[in-house]
Amino acid sequence: MSQLNSVRSDARKESGLLLLFVGLMLSMLLAALNQMILSTALPTIVGELNGVDQMLWVITAYILAATIVMPIYGKLGDLVGRKSLLLLAIAIFMAGSVVGGLAPNMEWLIAGRAVQGLGGGGLMILSQAIIADVVPARERGKYMGAMGGVFAFASVAGPLLGGWFTEGPGWRWMFWINMPLGVLAIVVVLFFLHLPARERVHPHVDVAGMVLLAIATTSLVLVGTWGGTQYPWLSTQILGLFALAVITGALFVAVERRAKEPILPMNLFRERNFVLTTAGGLLIGVTMFGAIGYLPTYLQMVTGASATNAGLLMIPMMGALILTSTGSGVLVSKTGRYKWMPIVGSVGVSVALLLLSTITPTTPVWLICVFIAIMGAGLGLSMQILVLIVQNTFPNRVVGTATASNNYFRQIGATLGSAVIGSLFTARVGELLLERLPAGGTALQGGANSLTPELVNALPEALQLPIIQSYNDALTPLFLYMAPLGVMAAILLAFVHEKALSTVIERDTRVEREAGIAPDPAQTNAVS
């Protein structure tokens, strides 16, 4: 009878974990979808709102805002618990969706995206940290792999939905769809997310650290965004912003060394695995968002694909990413070996970028899809395994902070990749159109800033060809410039120490031990 009760208890526990995991995946889906959903619709949106020159900010604003708040969510989650913070993040995300859905111009659209990012950063970090609260590292691989699959699904479903909404009910529905999804996520979190009890504390909020981190991050991203476009690289504005980033960054480090509860503790950097995986993740972030963020635009403007078809053409990447992400997660849980995966994945990303740098307007679409699939396979082997390595390096009491810090630097890479590549791409397209179009494009209705795929397809061949060639010649060299970053990431990750994955969750708060939720720390360390 006791054996039967034990089996039933295990079944209930597994069922509860499954429901919790579904809720976390839904939360992550909200954040991941909105990093990609505007990509196929972007040419139409900026054409309708007359803002091609502000195109990169629609993507950058979301990523920048999410990046700034990641360490804040991570630290507060460790201090006061993650459930209430996750609900708050969902509510903020939904508020940003309302602003974006009602946006009358580019300025309001960008503002809505920034508010979405303030919530989206929490959705990404808290979902990953909560898994570490309830699943040991050795078993966590399959869950982290599935979360990587969510990003893969979003990377294709986002552009596909964006294209469908653009050609159907209108691009504003990309924001309104978040409302029912957000409500569903809130319901699931409220009823199925039951986390271990936490010791009641009065958190010391590191306000100075938060402010300095926000200023340093924003300044650095503005350097990448405005350098060479709004202002020359050696202009007073760009040099001033760079100096501000360096000064506030140095002040941030000084403040964090003295803060009672720093949002980004400096002692994290004493761990070799944290430093190596963080640096590797940053480089991969640059390549991922620098390339994927503008591929749907390329497919529409150069190959003539509709917004929906451009989304469909990203499916090979999704399939490869899901396959390698979930497969690597299961393999890690079975074997406990993981070091080789992000190394191979980083090399795969570099190979894909080299191949993408060779495409031309005459390259068969199926071949472009093969190149995109190779990139997806590389990313699937890298993304969630790096998070797992970080979480396995630190005890549960700081896992949120460690996860958030690692993701912060990866997002810095994503932000800089999106900003710098977008900045170079936008500037180069403008220059080439000015050179190649008759009268610099002034004969076009609305000018070159109002170009949409539909408008380009309707133009006579004499005007179509220079536009298509300009988009191709502006983007493909950038893939070549990013390729060495994947090799650099692989070299760094080769020095990671493959520490055995823990089979227990290391907790050490008094309330958990007294409640019997956590084992004694000495016993935990012995088992680990």
Side-chain angles (χ1 to χ4, degrees), residues 429 432-433 436 465-475:
V429 163
L432 292 174
L433 290 175
R436 297 173 178 178
L465 291 179
I467 293 173
I468 290 173
Q469 195 65 51
S470 295
Y471 268 80
N472 183 86
D473 295 349
L475 187 60

Side-chain angles (χ1 to χ4, degrees), residues 226-362:
W226 287 344
T229 53
Q230 294 282 102
Y231 309 100
W233 284 105
L234 297 179
S235 66
T236 304
Q237 292 88 344
I238 297 302
L239 294 178
L241 282 169
F242 184 75
L244 180 61
V246 172
I247 292 169
T248 51
L251 289 173
F252 173 75
V253 172
V255 166
E256 295 304 275
R257 287 181 178 277
R258 294 172 174 80
K260 187 168 184 178
E261 293 290 352
I263 61 172
L264 207 166
M266 293 297 106
N267 59 13
L268 295 178
F269 295 93
R270 295 174 187 168
E271 292 288 345
R272 181 176 73 177
N273 278 5
F274 177 81
V275 174
L276 293 173
T277 55
T278 297
L282 186 150
L283 294 172
I284 292 170
V286 172
T287 60
M288 178 179 178
F289 284 90
I292 295 176
Y294 295 93
L295 272 172
T297 297
Y298 176 92
L299 292 170
Q300 289 180 76
M301 300 299 284
V302 176
T303 69
S306 66
T308 302
N309 286 339
L312 289 171
L313 291 174
M314 299 295 287
I315 285 180
M317 188 192 75
M318 177 190 74
L321 205 160
I322 289 178
L323 182 64
T324 55
S325 180
T326 55
S328 62
V330 171
L331 198 58
V332 167
S333 293
K334 284 186 176 180
T335 67
R337 306 303 298 271
Y338 54 83
K339 179 177 176 177
W340 64 271
M341 295 176 182
I343 297 174
V344 173
S346 300
V347 173
V349 169
S350 280
V351 170
L353 288 168
L354 285 172
L355 294 172
L356 286 169
S357 71
T358 66
I359 61 179
T360 68
T362 59

Side-chain angles (χ1 to χ4, degrees), residues 15 61-62 66 73 139 170 233 289 318 345 391 428 454 492 513:
S15 176
Y62 180 92
Y73 279 111
E139 298 299 319
W233 284 105
F289 284 90
M318 177 190 74
Q391 291 184 346
R428 186 58 179 155
E454 293 77 13
L492 288 173
R513 291 195 301 275

Side-chain angles (χ1 to χ4, degrees), residues 49 99 102-106 108-109 172:
L49 298 180
V99 175
L102 297 174
N105 51 45
M106 285 294 290
W108 276 99
L109 178 65
R172 294 181 188 275

